Amino acid sequence: MELSEFFSRHPKVALGFSGGVDSAYLLYAARTFGADVSAYFIKSQFQPDFELADAMQLAEQLGAKLRKIDCDILKEAAVCENPKDRCYYCKNRIFGLLAEAAKEDGYETIIDGTNASDEAADRPGMRALAEMEVLSPLRMCGITKAQVRERSKEAGLFTWDKPAYACLATRIPTGQPITAEDLQRVEGAENQLSALGFSDFRVRLIGDSGRLQLKAAQMRTAIEKRSEIKAKLKPYFDTVLLDLEDR
C-alpha cells in the first residue's frame, strides 16, 4: 500500500506529532494527499523545548493545524518508577490524552510516525499503540527510516537530517526513579553541549555523574574542548565522563 492509498482510505486523521523526522514527513504526506489532518504535540517533562519549537516551525511551514497538550507525566507512578516497560505506560497516558482531544475536535482515527525500521520487540510503547488501535502508516506502507529521510529531503523539509532523538527519560537508568530534577539536569547539560557545536549525542545519568555519548567523529573535539565542557556542565554535574564507545 502507498501512502496516497492510506490517506484515501483514511481521509480524516489525528497525528501524534513529535517534531521528529518521521511524524514530520507523515504530516507533509497527509497534507500532500489531501487528508484532513490535525497534529497533536503532547508536552511533558520528557520532551525538551527544542522539539516543540521544531514541531511548531514544521506545522507553520506546511500550513497545518497543531494543538499542544500539556501532560504532567511525572504524576504517573508506573512511569516514574521507570520499569523496563516504562514506554508502555507512558504511551498509554500520552495517546489517551491525544485521543480525548482528537475526539473533541471531531477526529476518530489516530496515526503515529512509527516506521518500518522500528522493531516492535524492542519497543514496549508499540504494544500500547496496538492496543489503542493507533495506525502507523509508514510501517503499514513498508517505508523505512532511510526512505523517510530521502523523501523528506526531496520535499524540502528541514527535518530530513535531524538526528533521531529519544525522550529525556531514556537518559535515566532503568529501575532508577525518574525525577523532575534529574530530567532538568540532563536537558540543561544537553543544551550546553548543543551550544558548543555537538550533535547527535546523549548525556546519561550515572549516579551523580553525567556520561557523554558522542559520535566517533566528535571525540577529538570533545578532548580539545575538555575544559570548556567541564565548565559548561558544572552547574549540572560535578563529574563528567566521556564514553569512548561510538554512540
Side-chain angles (χ1 to χ4, degrees):
M1 179 169 60
E2 298 293 331
L3 284 175
S4 56
E5 183 180 352
F6 175 87
F7 287 114
S8 177
R9 294 181 183 181
H10 305 280
K12 187 172 184 177
V13 294
L15 168 65
F17 189 45
S18 68
V21 181
D22 299 315
S23 60
Y25 178 71
L26 197 53
L27 182 59
Y28 163 80
R31 298 277 293 168
T32 298
F33 295 121
D36 176 355
V37 57
S38 184
Y40 295 82
F41 187 100
I42 311 297
K43 182 67 172 76
S44 76
Q45 295 93 331
F46 290 175
Q47 282 73 45
D49 289 339
F50 79 81
E51 289 279 54
L52 175 58
D54 284 354
M56 294 174 65
Q57 181 182 343
L58 199 283
E60 182 177 0
Q61 177 183 338
L62 299 178
K65 293 176 287 187
L66 173 62
R67 178 174 172 181
K68 178 175 81 76
I69 301 171
D70 292 317
C71 171
D72 187 355
I73 197 66
L74 295 183
K75 286 186 175 180
E76 300 295 318
V79 174
C80 292
E81 291 170 1
N82 201 16
K84 290 183 179 180
D85 57 350
R86 179 199 68 246
C87 287
Y88 173 82
Y89 300 105
C90 187
K91 289 287 188 184
N92 260 318
R93 176 59 175 157
I94 287 175
F95 275 84
L97 287 174
L98 193 161
E100 291 175 8
K103 188 173 182 179
E104 290 175 2
D105 296 339
Y107 293 87
E108 298 290 340
T109 301
I110 300 174
I111 63 174
D112 87 312
T114 302
N115 65 60
S117 299
D118 294 325
E119 292 294 335
D122 298 330
R123 295 174 180 261
M126 288 176 66
R127 177 163 55 94
L129 296 180
E131 291 175 0
M132 301 177 75
E133 298 184 338
V134 175
L135 302 181
S136 302
L138 297 175
R139 189 174 181 82
M140 293 167 68
C141 294
I143 300 173
T144 65
K145 188 75 166 188
Q147 291 173 318
V148 170
R149 290 192 182 281
E150 181 181 354
R151 295 185 184 192
S152 295
K153 185 176 183 180
E154 293 173 354
L157 304 181
F158 72 88
T159 52
W160 77 270
D161 63 345
K162 183 176 178 178
Y165 189 87
C167 81
L168 291 170
T170 62
R171 314 300 196 270
I172 315 298
T174 299
Q176 178 175 327
I178 300 172
T179 66
E181 180 183 7
D182 283 339
L183 293 173
Q184 290 164 3
R185 292 167 70 194
V186 169
E187 182 176 4
E190 292 194 347
N191 286 341
Q192 291 295 336
L193 279 181
S194 181
L196 289 173
F198 293 94
S199 62
D200 198 8
F201 59 84
R202 301 285 187 270
V203 177
R204 299 198 185 277
L205 187 67
I206 304 295
D208 289 326
S209 303
R211 184 180 72 185
L212 313 188
Q213 293 183 317
L214 307 173
K215 303 298 289 185
Q218 299 183 73
M219 292 286 185
R220 181 180 295 276
T221 302
I223 298 299
E224 294 171 349
K225 293 187 174 183
R226 180 181 64 84
S227 296
E228 192 173 359
I229 291 173
K230 184 178 178 181
K232 292 291 186 181
L233 271 57
K234 184 67 174 177
Y236 311 102
F237 300 104
D238 288 334
T239 303
V240 177
L241 309 172
L242 177 61
D243 191 333
L244 296 180
E245 290 289 337
D246 183 16
R247 197 191 82 73

PDB file of all heavy atoms in Angstrom, residues 187-224:
ATOM      1  N   GLU A 187      18.612  17.757  30.517  1.00  0.00           N
ATOM      2  CA  GLU A 187      18.253  18.684  29.444  1.00  0.00           C
ATOM      3  C   GLU A 187      19.176  19.890  29.433  1.00  0.00           C
ATOM      4  O   GLU A 187      19.626  20.334  28.359  1.00  0.00           O
ATOM      5  CB  GLU A 187      16.799  19.135  29.585  1.00  0.00           C
ATOM      6  CG  GLU A 187      16.363  20.067  28.454  1.00  0.00           C
ATOM      7  CD  GLU A 187      14.898  20.452  28.506  1.00  0.00           C
ATOM      8  OE1 GLU A 187      14.199  20.066  29.471  1.00  0.00           O
ATOM      9  OE2 GLU A 187      14.450  21.147  27.568  1.00  0.00           O
ATOM     10  N   GLY A 188      19.497  20.429  30.614  1.00  0.00           N
ATOM     11  CA  GLY A 188      20.394  21.576  30.676  1.00  0.00           C
ATOM     12  C   GLY A 188      21.775  21.255  30.131  1.00  0.00           C
ATOM     13  O   GLY A 188      22.365  22.024  29.362  1.00  0.00           O
ATOM     14  N   ALA A 189      22.304  20.088  30.499  1.00  0.00           N
ATOM     15  CA  ALA A 189      23.620  19.666  30.028  1.00  0.00           C
ATOM     16  C   ALA A 189      23.616  19.452  28.517  1.00  0.00           C
ATOM     17  O   ALA A 189      24.562  19.856  27.812  1.00  0.00           O
ATOM     18  CB  ALA A 189      24.051  18.388  30.746  1.00  0.00           C
ATOM     19  N   GLU A 190      22.562  18.842  28.000  1.00  0.00           N
ATOM     20  CA  GLU A 190      22.497  18.611  26.554  1.00  0.00           C
ATOM     21  C   GLU A 190      22.356  19.926  25.788  1.00  0.00           C
ATOM     22  O   GLU A 190      22.911  20.078  24.690  1.00  0.00           O
ATOM     23  CB  GLU A 190      21.353  17.652  26.235  1.00  0.00           C
ATOM     24  CG  GLU A 190      21.615  16.229  26.744  1.00  0.00           C
ATOM     25  CD  GLU A 190      20.692  15.182  26.168  1.00  0.00           C
ATOM     26  OE1 GLU A 190      19.670  15.562  25.543  1.00  0.00           O
ATOM     27  OE2 GLU A 190      20.983  13.975  26.332  1.00  0.00           O
ATOM     28  N   ASN A 191      21.642  20.883  26.351  1.00  0.00           N
ATOM     29  CA  ASN A 191      21.548  22.193  25.707  1.00  0.00           C
ATOM     30  C   ASN A 191      22.916  22.863  25.623  1.00  0.00           C
ATOM     31  O   ASN A 191      23.254  23.499  24.615  1.00  0.00           O
ATOM     32  CB  ASN A 191      20.577  23.096  26.479  1.00  0.00           C
ATOM     33  CG  ASN A 191      19.124  22.716  26.268  1.00  0.00           C
ATOM     34  OD1 ASN A 191      18.788  22.024  25.309  1.00  0.00           O
ATOM     35  ND2 ASN A 191      18.262  23.151  27.162  1.00  0.00           N
ATOM     36  N   GLN A 192      23.703  22.723  26.676  1.00  0.00           N
ATOM     37  CA  GLN A 192      25.048  23.317  26.684  1.00  0.00           C
ATOM     38  C   GLN A 192      25.944  22.654  25.647  1.00  0.00           C
ATOM     39  O   GLN A 192      26.706  23.331  24.936  1.00  0.00           O
ATOM     40  CB  GLN A 192      25.667  23.190  28.082  1.00  0.00           C
ATOM     41  CG  GLN A 192      25.021  24.044  29.144  1.00  0.00           C
ATOM     42  CD  GLN A 192      25.182  25.534  28.897  1.00  0.00           C
ATOM     43  OE1 GLN A 192      26.115  25.969  28.212  1.00  0.00           O
ATOM     44  NE2 GLN A 192      24.270  26.330  29.432  1.00  0.00           N
ATOM     45  N   LEU A 193      25.870  21.326  25.534  1.00  0.00           N
ATOM     46  CA  LEU A 193      26.681  20.623  24.531  1.00  0.00           C
ATOM     47  C   LEU A 193      26.269  21.030  23.121  1.00  0.00           C
ATOM     48  O   LEU A 193      27.116  21.206  22.233  1.00  0.00           O
ATOM     49  CB  LEU A 193      26.543  19.111  24.697  1.00  0.00           C
ATOM     50  CG  LEU A 193      27.380  18.447  25.785  1.00  0.00           C
ATOM     51  CD1 LEU A 193      27.135  16.955  25.783  1.00  0.00           C
ATOM     52  CD2 LEU A 193      28.863  18.742  25.601  1.00  0.00           C
ATOM     53  N   SER A 194      24.970  21.168  22.910  1.00  0.00           N
ATOM     54  CA  SER A 194      24.483  21.603  21.603  1.00  0.00           C
ATOM     55  C   SER A 194      25.024  22.984  21.269  1.00  0.00           C
ATOM     56  O   SER A 194      25.443  23.248  20.134  1.00  0.00           O
ATOM     57  CB  SER A 194      22.953  21.601  21.588  1.00  0.00           C
ATOM     58  OG  SER A 194      22.463  21.992  20.333  1.00  0.00           O
ATOM     59  N   ALA A 195      25.050  23.881  22.247  1.00  0.00           N
ATOM     60  CA  ALA A 195      25.558  25.238  22.037  1.00  0.00           C
ATOM     61  C   ALA A 195      27.049  25.231  21.707  1.00  0.00           C
ATOM     62  O   ALA A 195      27.553  26.142  21.036  1.00  0.00           O
ATOM     63  CB  ALA A 195      25.296  26.088  23.280  1.00  0.00           C
ATOM     64  N   LEU A 196      27.751  24.191  22.157  1.00  0.00           N
ATOM     65  CA  LEU A 196      29.177  24.060  21.861  1.00  0.00           C
ATOM     66  C   LEU A 196      29.429  23.448  20.486  1.00  0.00           C
ATOM     67  O   LEU A 196      30.578  23.281  20.085  1.00  0.00           O
ATOM     68  CB  LEU A 196      29.863  23.221  22.934  1.00  0.00           C
ATOM     69  CG  LEU A 196      30.014  23.880  24.319  1.00  0.00           C
ATOM     70  CD1 LEU A 196      30.549  22.877  25.334  1.00  0.00           C
ATOM     71  CD2 LEU A 196      30.942  25.092  24.226  1.00  0.00           C
ATOM     72  N   GLY A 197      28.359  23.085  19.781  1.00  0.00           N
ATOM     73  CA  GLY A 197      28.504  22.574  18.422  1.00  0.00           C
ATOM     74  C   GLY A 197      28.391  21.072  18.276  1.00  0.00           C
ATOM     75  O   GLY A 197      28.522  20.553  17.154  1.00  0.00           O
ATOM     76  N   PHE A 198      28.121  20.350  19.349  1.00  0.00           N
ATOM     77  CA  PHE A 198      27.982  18.902  19.255  1.00  0.00           C
ATOM     78  C   PHE A 198      26.571  18.543  18.780  1.00  0.00           C
ATOM     79  O   PHE A 198      25.619  19.292  18.984  1.00  0.00           O
ATOM     80  CB  PHE A 198      28.259  18.252  20.610  1.00  0.00           C
ATOM     81  CG  PHE A 198      29.682  18.382  21.063  1.00  0.00           C
ATOM     82  CD1 PHE A 198      30.069  19.423  21.902  1.00  0.00           C
ATOM     83  CD2 PHE A 198      30.643  17.484  20.639  1.00  0.00           C
ATOM     84  CE1 PHE A 198      31.383  19.563  22.311  1.00  0.00           C
ATOM     85  CE2 PHE A 198      31.968  17.606  21.045  1.00  0.00           C
ATOM     86  CZ  PHE A 198      32.332  18.656  21.882  1.00  0.00           C
ATOM     87  N   SER A 199      26.453  17.392  18.139  1.00  0.00           N
ATOM     88  CA  SER A 199      25.150  16.949  17.641  1.00  0.00           C
ATOM     89  C   SER A 199      25.045  15.430  17.740  1.00  0.00           C
ATOM     90  O   SER A 199      26.061  14.730  17.817  1.00  0.00           O
ATOM     91  CB  SER A 199      24.938  17.387  16.186  1.00  0.00           C
ATOM     92  OG  SER A 199      25.913  16.797  15.341  1.00  0.00           O
ATOM     93  N   ASP A 200      23.794  14.948  17.745  1.00  0.00           N
ATOM     94  CA  ASP A 200      23.516  13.511  17.790  1.00  0.00           C
ATOM     95  C   ASP A 200      24.261  12.837  18.938  1.00  0.00           C
ATOM     96  O   ASP A 200      25.006  11.880  18.754  1.00  0.00           O
ATOM     97  CB  ASP A 200      23.889  12.860  16.455  1.00  0.00           C
ATOM     98  CG  ASP A 200      23.236  11.494  16.287  1.00  0.00           C
ATOM     99  OD1 ASP A 200      22.388  11.137  17.131  1.00  0.00           O
ATOM    100  OD2 ASP A 200      23.596  10.782  15.331  1.00  0.00           O
ATOM    101  N   PHE A 201      24.054  13.333  20.144  1.00  0.00           N
ATOM    102  CA  PHE A 201      24.728  12.823  21.334  1.00  0.00           C
ATOM    103  C   PHE A 201      23.700  12.540  22.428  1.00  0.00           C
ATOM    104  O   PHE A 201      22.514  12.828  22.281  1.00  0.00           O
ATOM    105  CB  PHE A 201      25.756  13.840  21.842  1.00  0.00           C
ATOM    106  CG  PHE A 201      25.129  15.168  22.189  1.00  0.00           C
ATOM    107  CD1 PHE A 201      24.537  15.374  23.423  1.00  0.00           C
ATOM    108  CD2 PHE A 201      25.127  16.212  21.268  1.00  0.00           C
ATOM    109  CE1 PHE A 201      23.926  16.586  23.739  1.00  0.00           C
ATOM    110  CE2 PHE A 201      24.521  17.426  21.573  1.00  0.00           C
ATOM    111  CZ  PHE A 201      23.920  17.604  22.816  1.00  0.00           C
ATOM    112  N   ARG A 202      24.173  11.991  23.537  1.00  0.00           N
ATOM    113  CA  ARG A 202      23.345  11.781  24.715  1.00  0.00           C
ATOM    114  C   ARG A 202      24.156  12.123  25.960  1.00  0.00           C
ATOM    115  O   ARG A 202      25.379  11.910  25.989  1.00  0.00           O
ATOM    116  CB  ARG A 202      22.873  10.318  24.832  1.00  0.00           C
ATOM    117  CG  ARG A 202      22.056   9.813  23.664  1.00  0.00           C
ATOM    118  CD  ARG A 202      20.645  10.348  23.664  1.00  0.00           C
ATOM    119  NE  ARG A 202      19.828   9.737  22.625  1.00  0.00           N
ATOM    120  CZ  ARG A 202      19.699  10.215  21.390  1.00  0.00           C
ATOM    121  NH1 ARG A 202      20.337  11.323  21.032  1.00  0.00           N
ATOM    122  NH2 ARG A 202      18.932   9.596  20.508  1.00  0.00           N
ATOM    123  N   VAL A 203      23.487  12.646  26.977  1.00  0.00           N
ATOM    124  CA  VAL A 203      24.084  12.791  28.303  1.00  0.00           C
ATOM    125  C   VAL A 203      23.283  11.879  29.224  1.00  0.00           C
ATOM    126  O   VAL A 203      22.108  12.129  29.489  1.00  0.00           O
ATOM    127  CB  VAL A 203      24.030  14.243  28.821  1.00  0.00           C
ATOM    128  CG1 VAL A 203      24.597  14.310  30.241  1.00  0.00           C
ATOM    129  CG2 VAL A 203      24.810  15.178  27.905  1.00  0.00           C
ATOM    130  N   ARG A 204      23.914  10.813  29.683  1.00  0.00           N
ATOM    131  CA  ARG A 204      23.205   9.834  30.506  1.00  0.00           C
ATOM    132  C   ARG A 204      23.608   9.990  31.977  1.00  0.00           C
ATOM    133  O   ARG A 204      24.768  10.270  32.298  1.00  0.00           O
ATOM    134  CB  ARG A 204      23.500   8.418  30.023  1.00  0.00           C
ATOM    135  CG  ARG A 204      23.057   8.177  28.579  1.00  0.00           C
ATOM    136  CD  ARG A 204      22.948   6.714  28.231  1.00  0.00           C
ATOM    137  NE  ARG A 204      22.637   6.524  26.826  1.00  0.00           N
ATOM    138  CZ  ARG A 204      21.411   6.585  26.308  1.00  0.00           C
ATOM    139  NH1 ARG A 204      20.381   6.828  27.107  1.00  0.00           N
ATOM    140  NH2 ARG A 204      21.211   6.401  25.019  1.00  0.00           N
ATOM    141  N   LEU A 205      22.645   9.798  32.834  1.00  0.00           N
ATOM    142  CA  LEU A 205      22.858   9.919  34.272  1.00  0.00           C
ATOM    143  C   LEU A 205      23.455   8.623  34.809  1.00  0.00           C
ATOM    144  O   LEU A 205      22.882   7.542  34.641  1.00  0.00           O
ATOM    145  CB  LEU A 205      21.526  10.216  34.958  1.00  0.00           C
ATOM    146  CG  LEU A 205      21.573  10.548  36.442  1.00  0.00           C
ATOM    147  CD1 LEU A 205      22.287  11.875  36.665  1.00  0.00           C
ATOM    148  CD2 LEU A 205      20.160  10.621  37.014  1.00  0.00           C
ATOM    149  N   ILE A 206      24.605   8.718  35.437  1.00  0.00           N
ATOM    150  CA  ILE A 206      25.261   7.574  36.071  1.00  0.00           C
ATOM    151  C   ILE A 206      25.580   7.995  37.499  1.00  0.00           C
ATOM    152  O   ILE A 206      26.541   8.719  37.745  1.00  0.00           O
ATOM    153  CB  ILE A 206      26.562   7.171  35.338  1.00  0.00           C
ATOM    154  CG1 ILE A 206      26.290   6.872  33.870  1.00  0.00           C
ATOM    155  CG2 ILE A 206      27.203   5.976  36.038  1.00  0.00           C
ATOM    156  CD1 ILE A 206      25.403   5.668  33.637  1.00  0.00           C
ATOM    157  N   GLY A 207      24.746   7.579  38.447  1.00  0.00           N
ATOM    158  CA  GLY A 207      24.908   8.063  39.807  1.00  0.00           C
ATOM    159  C   GLY A 207      24.677   9.561  39.842  1.00  0.00           C
ATOM    160  O   GLY A 207      23.632  10.052  39.400  1.00  0.00           O
ATOM    161  N   ASP A 208      25.653  10.300  40.317  1.00  0.00           N
ATOM    162  CA  ASP A 208      25.588  11.771  40.292  1.00  0.00           C
ATOM    163  C   ASP A 208      26.415  12.347  39.150  1.00  0.00           C
ATOM    164  O   ASP A 208      26.627  13.561  39.081  1.00  0.00           O
ATOM    165  CB  ASP A 208      26.088  12.348  41.628  1.00  0.00           C
ATOM    166  CG  ASP A 208      25.107  12.090  42.757  1.00  0.00           C
ATOM    167  OD1 ASP A 208      23.893  12.092  42.491  1.00  0.00           O
ATOM    168  OD2 ASP A 208      25.564  11.878  43.902  1.00  0.00           O
ATOM    169  N   SER A 209      26.882  11.492  38.268  1.00  0.00           N
ATOM    170  CA  SER A 209      27.731  11.929  37.158  1.00  0.00           C
ATOM    171  C   SER A 209      26.951  11.961  35.841  1.00  0.00           C
ATOM    172  O   SER A 209      25.920  11.300  35.698  1.00  0.00           O
ATOM    173  CB  SER A 209      28.932  10.977  37.007  1.00  0.00           C
ATOM    174  OG  SER A 209      29.663  10.898  38.208  1.00  0.00           O
ATOM    175  N   GLY A 210      27.470  12.715  34.891  1.00  0.00           N
ATOM    176  CA  GLY A 210      26.906  12.747  33.555  1.00  0.00           C
ATOM    177  C   GLY A 210      27.854  12.060  32.589  1.00  0.00           C
ATOM    178  O   GLY A 210      29.043  12.414  32.529  1.00  0.00           O
ATOM    179  N   ARG A 211      27.379  11.054  31.862  1.00  0.00           N
ATOM    180  CA  ARG A 211      28.215  10.336  30.902  1.00  0.00           C
ATOM    181  C   ARG A 211      27.868  10.794  29.495  1.00  0.00           C
ATOM    182  O   ARG A 211      26.726  10.670  29.061  1.00  0.00           O
ATOM    183  CB  ARG A 211      28.005   8.828  31.020  1.00  0.00           C
ATOM    184  CG  ARG A 211      28.938   8.018  30.107  1.00  0.00           C
ATOM    185  CD  ARG A 211      28.708   6.533  30.253  1.00  0.00           C
ATOM    186  NE  ARG A 211      27.458   6.124  29.644  1.00  0.00           N
ATOM    187  CZ  ARG A 211      26.971   4.878  29.710  1.00  0.00           C
ATOM    188  NH1 ARG A 211      27.615   3.950  30.387  1.00  0.00           N
ATOM    189  NH2 ARG A 211      25.836   4.573  29.120  1.00  0.00           N
ATOM    190  N   LEU A 212      28.858  11.310  28.794  1.00  0.00           N
ATOM    191  CA  LEU A 212      28.646  11.817  27.432  1.00  0.00           C
ATOM    192  C   LEU A 212      28.831  10.681  26.430  1.00  0.00           C
ATOM    193  O   LEU A 212      29.862  10.003  26.431  1.00  0.00           O
ATOM    194  CB  LEU A 212      29.642  12.934  27.103  1.00  0.00           C
ATOM    195  CG  LEU A 212      29.842  14.051  28.131  1.00  0.00           C
ATOM    196  CD1 LEU A 212      30.721  15.146  27.536  1.00  0.00           C
ATOM    197  CD2 LEU A 212      28.510  14.610  28.583  1.00  0.00           C
ATOM    198  N   GLN A 213      27.844  10.501  25.577  1.00  0.00           N
ATOM    199  CA  GLN A 213      27.931   9.545  24.480  1.00  0.00           C
ATOM    200  C   GLN A 213      27.910  10.339  23.179  1.00  0.00           C
ATOM    201  O   GLN A 213      26.908  10.981  22.848  1.00  0.00           O
ATOM    202  CB  GLN A 213      26.777   8.554  24.528  1.00  0.00           C
ATOM    203  CG  GLN A 213      26.819   7.613  25.717  1.00  0.00           C
ATOM    204  CD  GLN A 213      25.699   6.589  25.690  1.00  0.00           C
ATOM    205  OE1 GLN A 213      24.561   6.919  25.389  1.00  0.00           O
ATOM    206  NE2 GLN A 213      26.010   5.339  25.998  1.00  0.00           N
ATOM    207  N   LEU A 214      29.029  10.290  22.454  1.00  0.00           N
ATOM    208  CA  LEU A 214      29.199  11.073  21.238  1.00  0.00           C
ATOM    209  C   LEU A 214      29.457  10.170  20.046  1.00  0.00           C
ATOM    210  O   LEU A 214      29.829   9.004  20.185  1.00  0.00           O
ATOM    211  CB  LEU A 214      30.390  12.039  21.392  1.00  0.00           C
ATOM    212  CG  LEU A 214      30.410  12.965  22.610  1.00  0.00           C
ATOM    213  CD1 LEU A 214      31.745  13.699  22.665  1.00  0.00           C
ATOM    214  CD2 LEU A 214      29.259  13.949  22.549  1.00  0.00           C
ATOM    215  N   LYS A 215      29.267  10.730  18.862  1.00  0.00           N
ATOM    216  CA  LYS A 215      29.679  10.027  17.652  1.00  0.00           C
ATOM    217  C   LYS A 215      31.208  10.055  17.583  1.00  0.00           C
ATOM    218  O   LYS A 215      31.857  10.986  18.074  1.00  0.00           O
ATOM    219  CB  LYS A 215      29.092  10.702  16.410  1.00  0.00           C
ATOM    220  CG  LYS A 215      27.580  10.812  16.419  1.00  0.00           C
ATOM    221  CD  LYS A 215      26.895   9.462  16.447  1.00  0.00           C
ATOM    222  CE  LYS A 215      27.023   8.714  15.142  1.00  0.00           C
ATOM    223  NZ  LYS A 215      26.255   7.432  15.142  1.00  0.00           N
ATOM    224  N   ALA A 216      31.798   9.024  16.965  1.00  0.00           N
ATOM    225  CA  ALA A 216      33.253   8.892  16.932  1.00  0.00           C
ATOM    226  C   ALA A 216      33.926  10.133  16.354  1.00  0.00           C
ATOM    227  O   ALA A 216      34.991  10.556  16.829  1.00  0.00           O
ATOM    228  CB  ALA A 216      33.635   7.659  16.118  1.00  0.00           C
ATOM    229  N   ALA A 217      33.303  10.751  15.351  1.00  0.00           N
ATOM    230  CA  ALA A 217      33.896  11.913  14.684  1.00  0.00           C
ATOM    231  C   ALA A 217      34.013  13.122  15.612  1.00  0.00           C
ATOM    232  O   ALA A 217      34.772  14.056  15.317  1.00  0.00           O
ATOM    233  CB  ALA A 217      33.074  12.283  13.458  1.00  0.00           C
ATOM    234  N   GLN A 218      33.290  13.105  16.731  1.00  0.00           N
ATOM    235  CA  GLN A 218      33.308  14.257  17.633  1.00  0.00           C
ATOM    236  C   GLN A 218      34.162  14.030  18.886  1.00  0.00           C
ATOM    237  O   GLN A 218      34.279  14.919  19.734  1.00  0.00           O
ATOM    238  CB  GLN A 218      31.870  14.609  18.058  1.00  0.00           C
ATOM    239  CG  GLN A 218      30.974  14.974  16.892  1.00  0.00           C
ATOM    240  CD  GLN A 218      29.579  15.382  17.325  1.00  0.00           C
ATOM    241  OE1 GLN A 218      29.383  16.457  17.870  1.00  0.00           O
ATOM    242  NE2 GLN A 218      28.605  14.504  17.093  1.00  0.00           N
ATOM    243  N   MET A 219      34.776  12.857  18.985  1.00  0.00           N
ATOM    244  CA  MET A 219      35.577  12.541  20.156  1.00  0.00           C
ATOM    245  C   MET A 219      36.765  13.492  20.320  1.00  0.00           C
ATOM    246  O   MET A 219      37.035  14.009  21.397  1.00  0.00           O
ATOM    247  CB  MET A 219      36.101  11.100  20.072  1.00  0.00           C
ATOM    248  CG  MET A 219      35.030  10.025  20.180  1.00  0.00           C
ATOM    249  SD  MET A 219      34.402   9.836  21.864  1.00  0.00           S
ATOM    250  CE  MET A 219      33.320   8.415  21.615  1.00  0.00           C
ATOM    251  N   ARG A 220      37.490  13.721  19.231  1.00  0.00           N
ATOM    252  CA  ARG A 220      38.670  14.589  19.297  1.00  0.00           C
ATOM    253  C   ARG A 220      38.280  16.002  19.728  1.00  0.00           C
ATOM    254  O   ARG A 220      38.961  16.626  20.549  1.00  0.00           O
ATOM    255  CB  ARG A 220      39.380  14.632  17.940  1.00  0.00           C
ATOM    256  CG  ARG A 220      40.640  15.517  17.941  1.00  0.00           C
ATOM    257  CD  ARG A 220      41.303  15.519  16.577  1.00  0.00           C
ATOM    258  NE  ARG A 220      41.816  14.204  16.240  1.00  0.00           N
ATOM    259  CZ  ARG A 220      43.000  13.744  16.641  1.00  0.00           C
ATOM    260  NH1 ARG A 220      43.777  14.496  17.405  1.00  0.00           N
ATOM    261  NH2 ARG A 220      43.409  12.546  16.263  1.00  0.00           N
ATOM    262  N   THR A 221      37.157  16.482  19.191  1.00  0.00           N
ATOM    263  CA  THR A 221      36.684  17.810  19.569  1.00  0.00           C
ATOM    264  C   THR A 221      36.359  17.867  21.058  1.00  0.00           C
ATOM    265  O   THR A 221      36.648  18.870  21.731  1.00  0.00           O
ATOM    266  CB  THR A 221      35.424  18.182  18.767  1.00  0.00           C
ATOM    267  OG1 THR A 221      35.732  18.136  17.368  1.00  0.00           O
ATOM    268  CG2 THR A 221      34.934  19.578  19.116  1.00  0.00           C
ATOM    269  N   ALA A 222      35.782  16.801  21.573  1.00  0.00           N
ATOM    270  CA  ALA A 222      35.453  16.753  22.997  1.00  0.00           C
ATOM    271  C   ALA A 222      36.714  16.839  23.857  1.00  0.00           C
ATOM    272  O   ALA A 222      36.732  17.525  24.882  1.00  0.00           O
ATOM    273  CB  ALA A 222      34.676  15.485  23.314  1.00  0.00           C
ATOM    274  N   ILE A 223      37.763  16.151  23.438  1.00  0.00           N
ATOM    275  CA  ILE A 223      39.030  16.198  24.180  1.00  0.00           C
ATOM    276  C   ILE A 223      39.607  17.608  24.128  1.00  0.00           C
ATOM    277  O   ILE A 223      40.075  18.159  25.131  1.00  0.00           O
ATOM    278  CB  ILE A 223      40.046  15.180  23.620  1.00  0.00           C
ATOM    279  CG1 ILE A 223      39.505  13.748  23.760  1.00  0.00           C
ATOM    280  CG2 ILE A 223      41.380  15.325  24.333  1.00  0.00           C
ATOM    281  CD1 ILE A 223      39.246  13.322  25.181  1.00  0.00           C
ATOM    282  N   GLU A 224      39.569  18.205  22.935  1.00  0.00           N
ATOM    283  CA  GLU A 224      40.111  19.553  22.767  1.00  0.00           C
ATOM    284  C   GLU A 224      39.334  20.587  23.590  1.00  0.00           C
ATOM    285  O   GLU A 224      39.907  21.574  24.071  1.00  0.00           O
ATOM    286  CB  GLU A 224      40.092  19.943  21.286  1.00  0.00           C
ATOM    287  CG  GLU A 224      41.036  19.108  20.427  1.00  0.00           C
ATOM    288  CD  GLU A 224      40.843  19.353  18.939  1.00  0.00           C
ATOM    289  OE1 GLU A 224      39.844  20.018  18.579  1.00  0.00           O
ATOM    290  OE2 GLU A 224      41.680  18.886  18.145  1.00  0.00           O
TER     291      GLU A 224
END
